[in-house]
Amino acid sequence: MANPKEVAGRAAAEHVETGMVVGLGTGSTVYFTLLRLAERIRAERLSITGVPTSRDTEEKARGLGIPLSELAAHERIDLTIDGADEIDPRFDMIKGGGGALLREKVVAAMSRKEIIVVGKEKVVGQLGSTFPLPVEVVPFAEPHVARVLRRLGAEPTLRRAPGGAVFVTDNHNHILDARFPSGIASARGLQSELDGTPGVVACGLFVGLADKLIIGHEDGSTDVRDRQPPREV
Ligand code: 5RP
């Protein structure tokens, strides 16, 4: 039986072409993309420049010998491959389970094309049905943002690291994981509400940022779906 994350992650790496600047997402599915890219760099002399979306990915990619550069060195990114916590039929997503939502969102916004790699449990009819929405907040503003989230119908919890200490993002902020017991009715509406709340650095709603979805299956096959209509870049 194949690992769906491995199947999807490796398949996405085949879309990378020599000369590309590649956004490297974060998480356990994208890790398999990194492994496959490293294989292709060695075997085919694939020449790419990777832009990592987190310290974690940066360390892993560097350890695998994938050439990296700073985001500031690029105006656009040719292709980004990233995971998701939930993705709906419109290709809107919840991301940030790994805490890298801010950098992932910036890199996605700069990308000509974004491929999302998931197992089938991440594909949902309505966002918020299985996963809380991560909201990255400036620590000072945390109580205020938590109140706003409650007013919006959510149950926010401050994210903690495995040892119990408050989780701190790569940008020195905190994360409120907001569970929406009735799901999220309008991703775009909620995103604009949260983006307009002082103290919110980024919310984990990714609206209109994914172009292609690769779903890995246990039998080793993939479902590949393209966003309809295609995004204007
Ligand atoms: C990190 C993310 C990840 O892409 C998301 O959590 C999926 O992770 P995984 O591939 O490990 O299931 O958004 O901030």
Side-chain angles (χ1 to χ4, degrees):
M1 207 163 54
N3 174 356
K5 291 188 177 202
E6 181 170 4
V7 173
R10 288 181 69 87
E14 304 307 322
H15 292 261
V16 174
E17 293 168 15
T18 214
M20 280 183 165
V21 176
V22 182
L24 304 172
T26 297
S28 53
T29 316
V30 163
Y31 178 61
F32 292 107
T33 306
L34 302 182
L35 290 177
R36 180 65 189 132
L37 286 176
E39 281 173 18
R40 291 191 60 200
I41 288 167
R42 282 194 305 273
E44 302 166 29
R45 295 182 183 274
L46 179 76
S47 167
I48 60 166
T49 305
V51 176
T53 54
S54 61
R55 294 238 164 90
D56 182 57
T57 293
E58 184 179 342
E59 269 171 35
K60 287 179 173 134
R62 186 163 287 128
L64 289 165
I66 299 173
L68 299 178
S69 80
E70 296 279 324
L71 182 67
H74 307 283
E75 261 180 45
R76 299 299 302 267
I77 289 167
D78 295 306
L79 168 66
T80 291
I81 300 172
D82 206 346
D85 299 305
E86 286 187 348
I87 181 161
D88 75 7
R90 302 158 65 105
F91 282 21
D92 292 340
M93 300 180 280
I94 287 183
K95 286 183 50 54
L101 59 155
L102 174 60
R103 296 188 187 193
E104 289 174 332
K105 210 166 189 175
V106 173
V107 169
M110 288 175 61
S111 298
R112 292 194 169 86
K113 186 169 182 177
E114 173 110 349
I115 299 181
I116 298 299
V117 286
V118 295
K120 67 174 184 310
E121 74 287 353
K122 306 283 187 76
V123 182
V124 298
Q126 184 185 24
L127 293 181
S129 31
T130 64
F131 207 85
L133 175 67
V135 181
E136 181 161 346
V137 295
V138 173
F140 170 79
E142 202 180 289
H144 168 64
V145 177
R147 274 192 297 273
V148 170
L149 284 164
R150 280 190 212 99
R151 208 180 60 227
L152 292 168
E155 296 162 359
T157 313
L158 181 63
R159 186 178 297 187
R160 295 192 176 269
V166 175
F167 179 88
V168 179
T169 69
D170 285 351
N171 321 297
H172 313 291
N173 295 313
H174 293 173
I175 290 185
L176 289 166
D177 286 306
R179 188 165 292 285
F180 283 81
S182 324
I184 294 169
S186 163
R188 192 176 288 279
L190 181 58
Q191 177 177 250
S192 72
E193 186 86 36
L194 291 172
D195 285 352
T197 301
V200 170
V201 181
C203 81
L205 288 165
F206 283 50
V207 176
L209 291 172
D211 301 288
K212 189 182 276 294
L213 171 62
I214 301 183
I215 307 167
H217 296 288
E218 285 178 348
D219 65 1
S221 67
T222 53
D223 261 349
V224 182
R225 301 179 190 169
D226 289 302
R227 176 196 161 96
Q228 295 301 339
R231 180 166 66 125
E232 306 236 332
V233 283

